[in-house]
């Protein structure tokens, strides 16, 4: 439980003062000896009181089975756990080494009712997948791409949509490209699948072609009105897939890629020019290294996880770091950037919280809006 900051950003809706937002993220343990089981659990961060608490564990996993590469999505009071790569964590050759052994690619979908603390099973995906794009549009969940087997190094082009009212997945037209580790975001009423490891669609049994500039830097946009995918060339110019892309009002924001989740600043997408630009006032060095490690024999501080959540006009960055000289203590930091700062320094940094045991982020967070 963290101490309160004197400058907590407001998270109440201007339309309804009893509306609050909570951020949910799934973690697993990094250390085999630190917990009886390493399996996934869900933590909740409450911006209103600047506090973390453990909510639940993901059901259906046996000891030291971990779910990776899945997606979390929220609709109303419900969080959905979708697909993923099931693996088993075992000790490696080195004392502190942990090895992941892949077990299966899942098509399961679980729903967690945060208000009533109840888990239930939903209709399964039509195609099992992990490392795929996922986004919510008009209270429906859209998924696209990813990988469906461990034996093939290529992504898939299939897409589908889930209607919670019918508890039913419906196949969508296939994308123009095969891609995985792509990012899904709803923007301007369209579903966007951005970046990822991509190549041309074709014979699934042939050897993958070298990436073309069009594929690796492109995005796919789905229009629900005409049920058609359009290729957007050059929307993501890096060879490395994006880490996260979120929409705030009419803008898209990103902070890094899969290798470097924090580039030192935030970037916003200019749809007219089809390019990403640094947001004025968004530079923040402490997200890279919150503690000076000039003390002799202390290793550089290591960031264990970083995830970003949009609430109103604000971007919440939730980050965890291994404390210098510590093996099992973690410092959790929350930094908030106001996208409406209009060129001024828009950051608010909240008081760090220390936790026992290292944890690993297993899926990016989702935001639940609740009316109390």
């Amino acid at each position: 439980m963290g101490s309160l900051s004197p400058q907590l950003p407001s998270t109440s809706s201007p339309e309804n003062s009893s509306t609050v937002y909570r951020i949910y993220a799934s973690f697993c343990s990094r250390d085999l000896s630190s917990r009886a089981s390493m399996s996934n659990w869900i933590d909740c961060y409450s911006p209103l009181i600047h506090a973390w608490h453990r909510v639940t564990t993901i059901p259906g996993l046996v000891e030291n089975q971990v779910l990776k590469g899945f997606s979390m999505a929220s609709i109303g009071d419900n969080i959905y756990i979708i697909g993923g790569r099931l693996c088993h964590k075992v000790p490696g050759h080195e004392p502190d080494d942990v090895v992941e052994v892949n077990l299966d690619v899942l098509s399961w979908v679980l729903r967690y009712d945060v208000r009533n603390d109840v888990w239930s099973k939903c209709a399964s995906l039509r195609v099992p997948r992990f490392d795929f794009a996922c986004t919510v549009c008009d209270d429906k969940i859209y998924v696209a791409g990813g990988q469906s087997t461990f034996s093939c190094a290529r992504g898939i082009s299939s897409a589908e949509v889930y209607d919670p009212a019918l508890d039913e997945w419906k196949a969508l037209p296939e994308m123009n490209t095969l891609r995985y580790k792509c990012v899904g975001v709803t923007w301007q009423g369209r579903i966007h699948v951005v970046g990822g490891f991509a190549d041309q669609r074709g014979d699934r049994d042939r050897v993958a072609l070298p990436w073309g500039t069009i594929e690796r830097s492109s995005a796919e946009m789905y229009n629900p009105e005409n049920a058609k995918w359009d290729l957007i060339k050059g929307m993501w110019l890096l060879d490395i897939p994006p880490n996260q892309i979120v929409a705030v009002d009419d803008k898209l924001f990103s902070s890094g890629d899969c290798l470097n989740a924090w580039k030192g600043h935030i970037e916003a997408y200019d749809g007219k020019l089809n390019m990403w630009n640094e947001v004025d006032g968004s530079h923040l060095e402490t997200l890279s290294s919150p503690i000076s490690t000039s003390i002799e024999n202390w290793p550089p501080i290591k960031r264990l996880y970083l995830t970003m959540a949009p609430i109103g006009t604000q971007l919440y960055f939730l980050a965890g770091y291994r404390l210098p000289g510590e093996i099992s203590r973690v410092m959790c930091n929350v930094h908030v950037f106001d996208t409406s700062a209009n060129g001024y320094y828009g950051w608010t940094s909240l008081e760090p919280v220390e936790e026992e045991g290292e944890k690993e982020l297993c899926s990016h967070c989702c935001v639940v809006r609740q009316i109390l």
Side-chain angles (χ1 to χ4, degrees):
M1 188 76 72
S3 301
L4 301 186
S5 164
Q7 296 180 332
L8 285 173
S10 172
T11 58
S12 296
S13 167
E15 302 170 357
N16 188 337
S17 60
S18 64
T19 299
V20 298
Y21 297 85
R22 294 186 174 93
I23 303 171
Y24 292 82
S26 176
F27 295 93
C28 66
S29 176
R30 282 180 172 269
D31 183 2
L32 281 169
S33 64
S34 65
R35 299 180 187 273
S37 174
M38 300 185 72
S39 298
N40 304 66
W41 69 84
I42 294 177
D43 284 348
C44 172
Y45 173 73
S46 175
L48 194 61
I49 59 175
H50 181 45
W52 285 96
H53 70 277
R54 180 74 53 85
V55 176
T56 183
T57 57
I58 295 180
L61 303 175
V62 302
E63 183 174 337
N64 292 342
Q65 279 189 355
V66 177
L67 190 63
K68 298 285 193 71
F70 64 97
S71 288
M72 289 180 66
S74 62
I75 298 177
D77 289 334
N78 297 309
I79 294 173
Y80 294 84
I81 305 296
I82 305 165
R85 169 175 63 91
L86 183 66
C87 59
H88 185 227
K89 287 196 172 186
V90 297
H93 297 295
E94 301 297 327
D96 296 326
D97 192 22
V98 177
V99 177
E100 292 182 1
V101 179
N102 288 325
L103 299 176
D104 198 8
V105 182
L106 302 183
S107 60
W108 74 350
V109 179
L110 303 176
R111 181 179 65 238
Y112 177 64
D113 184 336
V114 300
R115 188 179 295 272
N116 297 306
D117 187 28
V118 174
W119 283 95
S120 56
K121 280 189 175 182
C122 301
S124 297
L125 289 165
R126 298 171 66 93
V127 177
R129 63 184 81 215
F130 67 98
D131 289 344
F132 55 94
C134 178
T135 187
V136 174
C137 181
D138 294 332
D139 288 338
K140 294 181 180 179
I141 301 173
Y142 290 78
V143 301
Q147 290 182 288
S148 58
T149 67
F150 298 127
S151 59
C152 181
R154 306 180 77 195
I156 59 177
S157 58
S158 76
E160 47 191 303
V161 58
Y162 177 72
D163 186 341
L166 301 176
D167 187 27
E168 178 181 81
W169 287 93
K170 179 182 177 181
L172 298 176
E174 291 194 354
M175 295 187 294
N176 300 287
T177 53
L178 311 172
R179 61 180 74 220
Y180 69 97
K181 280 195 174 296
C182 41
V183 170
V185 61
T186 299
W187 184 50
Q188 297 180 342
R190 305 289 187 267
I191 288 80
H192 289 71
V193 178
V194 185
F197 298 122
D199 59 278
Q200 299 173 8
R201 223 171 72 189
D203 185 354
R204 290 299 308 273
D205 296 325
R206 68 175 171 80
V207 177
L209 295 173
W211 293 347
T213 302
I214 292 177
E215 285 81 26
R216 71 166 181 253
S217 64
S218 68
E220 301 250 4
M221 181 183 69
Y222 180 75
N223 184 348
E225 294 179 359
N226 61 16
K228 181 183 176 183
W229 288 99
D230 292 315
L231 192 69
I232 305 176
K233 300 178 182 179
M235 188 174 179
W236 184 260
L237 292 177
L238 299 179
D239 287 347
I240 306 301
N243 183 48
Q244 278 183 276
I245 297 175
V246 299
V248 175
D249 293 332
D250 200 35
K251 295 181 180 179
L252 294 179
F253 294 93
S254 171
S255 67
D257 54 51
C258 286
L259 292 183
N260 187 10
W262 176 248
K263 296 173 64 175
H265 60 269
I266 300 170
E267 294 184 345
Y269 179 67
D270 187 325
K272 294 181 179 179
L273 298 178
N274 194 27
M275 62 185 298
W276 293 85
N277 299 310
E278 180 177 343
V279 176
D280 292 339
S282 69
H283 183 82
L284 184 66
E285 197 62 43
T286 51
L287 256 175
S288 300
S289 180
I291 297 177
S292 173
T293 55
S294 58
I295 300 177
E296 187 177 359
N297 297 326
W298 271 16
I301 189 168
K302 179 182 179 181
R303 188 175 61 232
L304 301 174
Y305 65 84
L306 175 66
T307 188
M308 172 176 57
I311 298 179
T313 63
Q314 298 165 334
L315 297 177
Y316 280 75
F317 289 83
L318 314 177
Y321 304 86
R322 177 186 294 150
L323 289 173
E326 297 280 352
I327 298 177
S328 61
R329 291 186 67 80
V330 175
M331 181 175 67
C332 302
N333 283 18
V334 177
H335 301 278
V336 187
F337 182 78
D338 189 349
T339 62
S340 64
N342 294 324
Y344 294 97
Y345 187 76
W347 287 103
T348 300
S349 296
L350 306 183
E351 183 178 341
V353 178
E354 289 191 17
E355 288 187 345
E356 291 287 347
E358 290 190 3
K359 61 184 184 181
E360 177 182 359
L361 184 71
C362 295
S363 176
H364 282 300
C365 62
C366 65
V367 177
V368 173
R369 174 180 178 267
Q370 283 189 301
I371 299 176
L372 302 180

